[in-house]
Structures are given as C-alpha cells and as structure tokens.
Amino acid sequence: MTNENTTHGSTPSELAARTLGTVAPLTVSCLGLGCMGMSEFYGTGDEKEAVTTIHRAIELGVTFLDTADMYGPFTNEKLVGRAIAGRRDGIVLATKFGNERAEDGTRLGINGRPEYVRAAADASLRRLGVDHIDLYYQHRVDKTVPIEETVGAMAELVTAGKVRYLGLSEASPETIRRAHAVHPITALQTEYSLFTRDVEDEILPTLRELGIGLVPYSPLGRGILTGAIASPDDLDADDSRRSAYFPRFQGEALEVNLALVARVRDLATDKGVTPGQLALAWVLAQGEDIVPIPGTKRVRYLEENVGAAGLRLGAADLAALEAAVPRDAVAGARYGDMSTIDS
Ligand SMILES: NC(=O)c1ccc[n+]([C@@H]2O[C@H](COP(=O)([O-])OP(=O)(O)OC[C@H]3O[C@@H](n4cnc5c(N)ncnc54)[C@H](OP(=O)(O)O)[C@@H]3O)[C@@H](O)[C@H]2O)c1
C-alpha cells in the first residue's frame, strides 16, 4: 500500500462537516455516533461510560447522534436524552420509529400506519426530552401500508415543527422514489461497509439521482472490522452477535471473515493506523454525501474512530483495501432473517 496522498489518522481539532441531501439539506459532522449498543444488542453497557462517551463525542465535534425508539427498547432514547440535556444546541439528533416493541421487549412487528407514526414521534420527543427531532427515520418499511401514507404522516410532523428532516432506513429504490415524491427525503440509513457493499448497485445511484444522502450504519461491520473480535468468546453472553440472527459471526463464516479482517489489519499496520480507522476511512472516501455512524459505548473507541476522519486515502489505498476484501468474499448474510428488509 502506498502512503501517497495519505495523512495519518489523528484527532482533528474541528471535525469537518458534510451535508446530507440536496433537496432538503441537513449539515452534520462528517462522522456520527451510533448509540444503539449503549443499551442493547452488543453486550452489557455501563450507563455512566455511555453518557461520558456522548459528552466526549460532542466535545470532539461528533454532533450527529443516532438512536431509535426500539433500542432497549425505549431506554436508549432516554439515555441519549439525559446525556444531551442542557447541550441540545448544535446537536443533530436522529431517531427512528417503525419496529414496534412492547415495554418488555417483545417484538410486535413493523408499523408504518399514520396514527402510529404520530404516537411514536410524540413518545420519542418525551423520552428524549426535546421539542423537536432533527432527522426522523422510518426504521423499516411496512409493506402493508403504502409508503405515501407513512411519509404523509411524517411530513405532517415537519409541518407541526416536531421534526425537521425525514429519513428512511433499509428502503428499496422504488420505495425511496415514492417517498421522496411525497416529501423530500434527506437521508437513507442502511448498512454499508467494506463488508456490505450491495448498496452500491442500485441504492446509491438512486440516492445520488434524487439528491438524498447516505448514512451507513454498522460501518465497522458490527465491530468485526476493528480486529477486536477474535472469537465468539470475546462477546458477552447476552451479545446478539452470538445468535443465528447474525450469520457472519457464526462458525465457519466467522473464520472466513476474520481472515479478511487480518488482511485489513496488515494494510492498517503499514499505514500506522488501526483496522477500524482504515475501514471507516474507506466509507468516508466513498463520497461527500456519506456520513457513517460508528457505534460505541466507550470513550477510547470513540476517540480512535474520530481519528479516521483525519485519514485521507488515495486511489491506490482504496484499491488495496478492495482487493483485500473482495465484495463477494464475506461469508454469511448480514441478517439471519432478511424478511423485514424492503427489496
Ligand atoms: N437502521 C438500522 O437498521 C440500524 C441497524 C444497526 C445499527 N444502526 C445504527 O448504526 C450504529 C452503528 O452500527 P453498529 O453499532 O451496528 O455497528 P458498528 O458501528 O459497525 O460496530 C459497533 C461495534 O464495534 C465496536 N467498536 C466500535 N469502535 C471500536 C473500536 N475503535 N475498536 C474496537 N471495537 C470498536 C463496538 O464496541 P462497543 O459496543 O464495546 O463500544 C460495537 O460492538 C448503531 O449504533 C445504530 O445507531 C442502525
């Protein structure tokens, strides 16, 4: 790998800004912070460390915070709300509705009905302790409700001043088009990383044609690209990556995938950065209209991830990374059950 056109990762004193969307543009820090794992899915979090991580993010200029009502469920929004109390100005707060859950965590299905959209938004505002949400996403498309009806209800929230901008998550190109015709969509949030590149085929061209930004979730491949996971034993007993819901972390697939991560680590070592930083820099290099939201519940990881924003990869670096992790080399589907994905 060449070091030409490359600077080493460092913590920028002021994080660069990027703008999501051109029809309804929203300017955010070039990296966001995914808050999901602070409350659920990736092992047991420590509330104090989580809140400190959010405060440190704001201090470092990472002001684009991502949560959802279903994380916890409900506890992640409350945690984020507590963390940003008294610091709301300058924060771009994103949350999501649509994966309906009961208080005890039971999954009730995907709900895109207008009356539910209205109730979910009010409940999120209460839990977050804010008077508006900056970016409100439909978390999963409800295939039983025309997207026009769901987005129509979301647009009413904008008119009411409860929400500033609209987003979708895991929506197909056709759904994106239909939604955008009802009200401008600012961003699509979907999985994108060196390990998950199918978005490049149809979705990214559609977004660019329509003037919609992309917010890649799981830009670290749910942590595997950092090199910090060597076996399932590195994950807490209650970590959902141990379950069949995440095939890439199981058995032989995990072995194949860890061999790919080892190649990323070699390239990172050559550059004097970490594999996670290189993986994030790769996502950042895919376009100014792309704002990844790496997730962490720890200050140390956050600081490392912010360092990726100072990395500039040249064409040779990108080619070396793409040769190290060929698109079809990753083993296992990204979800065990893909039925909730709109395609
Ligand atoms: N729209 C959707 O359907 C959807 C789906 C999934 C996620 N999301 C959003 O996207 C955000 C990010 O995605 P994600 O959290 O799934 O995956 P990710 O960002 O690819 O990876 C998160 C995992 O990587 C670990 N990690 C982060 N930085 C690290 C570092 N520097 N060194 C070692 N390990 C590191 C974290 O560990 P710790 O937890 O121990 O800090 C966590 O286990 C979420 O927080 C959530 O807000 C949205």
Side-chain angles (χ1 to χ4, degrees), residues 2-339:
T2 173
N3 275 330
E4 203 183 330
N5 268 339
T6 306
T7 58
H8 285 256
S10 61
T11 302
S13 53
E14 197 172 303
L15 213 54
R18 288 190 172 185
T19 299
L20 292 167
T22 55
V23 184
L26 173 62
T27 297
V28 296
S29 51
C30 68
L31 274 180
L33 174 63
C35 298
M36 177 184 84
M38 296 173 180
S39 303
E40 203 184 2
F41 302 118
Y42 298 157
T44 311
D46 174 77
E47 158 119 19
K48 193 158 169 274
E49 173 76 4
V51 169
T52 308
T53 303
I54 293 174
H55 290 170
R56 182 70 179 134
I58 297 167
E59 214 170 73
L60 292 173
V62 179
T63 49
F64 182 33
L65 304 180
D66 191 80
T67 180
D69 55 7
M70 67 89 74
Y71 300 157
F74 314 119
T75 52
N76 194 239
E77 284 190 331
K78 290 179 185 163
L79 185 156
V80 171
R82 280 194 295 279
I84 65 170
R87 305 166 201 245
R88 178 73 175 91
D89 287 354
I91 288 174
V92 178
L93 186 56
T95 192
K96 321 181 192 78
F97 72 92
N99 279 315
E100 195 177 1
R101 293 179 77 180
E103 283 291 336
D104 68 0
T106 309
R107 288 178 186 256
L108 303 175
I110 296 174
N111 194 339
R113 291 195 294 276
E115 64 275 19
Y116 178 73
V117 176
R118 290 188 280 273
D122 285 340
S124 285
L125 287 167
R126 268 197 308 277
R127 284 188 292 267
L128 288 161
V130 297
D131 63 5
H132 69 276
I133 294 160
D134 295 300
L135 178 57
Y136 199 40
Y137 298 99
Q138 182 185 26
H139 208 158
R140 288 289 181 277
V141 175
D142 183 344
K143 295 171 193 170
T144 69
V145 177
I147 191 66
E148 288 79 2
E149 288 182 21
T150 304
V151 175
M154 293 168 73
E156 285 169 17
L157 297 173
V158 177
T159 307
K162 295 180 179 182
V163 164
R164 288 173 66 218
Y165 297 91
L166 303 186
L168 302 172
S169 176
E170 292 284 1
S172 68
E174 194 207 330
T175 302
I176 295 166
R177 268 181 209 288
R178 286 171 52 193
H180 194 62
V182 175
H183 187 280
I185 301 297
T186 290
L188 176 79
Q189 181 173 137
T190 206
E191 187 167 351
Y192 188 35
S193 72
L194 267 173
F195 264 30
T196 300
R197 294 182 55 190
D198 34 320
V199 67
E200 292 170 1
D201 297 335
E202 282 184 69
I203 291 175
L204 199 46
T206 303
L207 297 180
R208 287 182 169 153
E209 178 200 325
L210 299 176
I212 299 172
L214 176 65
V215 175
Y217 76 72
S218 304
L220 296 166
R222 299 186 185 271
I224 196 168
L225 280 159
T226 65
I229 301 165
S231 93
D233 297 337
D234 292 332
L235 304 173
D236 287 352
D238 62 346
D239 192 309
S240 63
R241 290 168 293 188
R242 282 174 170 269
S243 75
Y245 198 67
F246 293 115
R248 292 180 174 179
F249 289 85
Q250 312 308 315
E252 284 175 24
L254 180 63
E255 292 308 313
V256 170
N257 297 334
L258 288 175
L260 299 172
V261 174
R263 297 186 192 169
V264 177
R265 183 193 289 282
D266 288 345
L267 295 173
T269 303
D270 286 351
K271 299 192 81 63
V273 299
T274 67
Q277 287 177 323
L278 201 53
L280 282 179
W282 179 87
V283 177
L284 283 165
Q286 303 311 307
E288 284 290 317
D289 52 350
I290 294 180
V291 180
I293 48 168
T296 183
K297 46 174 112 63
R298 298 165 214 272
V299 171
R300 184 163 61 88
Y301 289 173
L302 165 82
E303 290 177 345
E304 179 187 321
N305 299 344
V306 171
L311 257 177
R312 296 282 171 273
L313 302 183
D317 298 330
L318 298 172
L321 269 167
E322 287 162 23
V325 186
R327 265 191 62 155
D328 299 330
V330 175
R334 55 198 187 93
Y335 288 109
D337 173 10
M338 293 289 285
S339 66

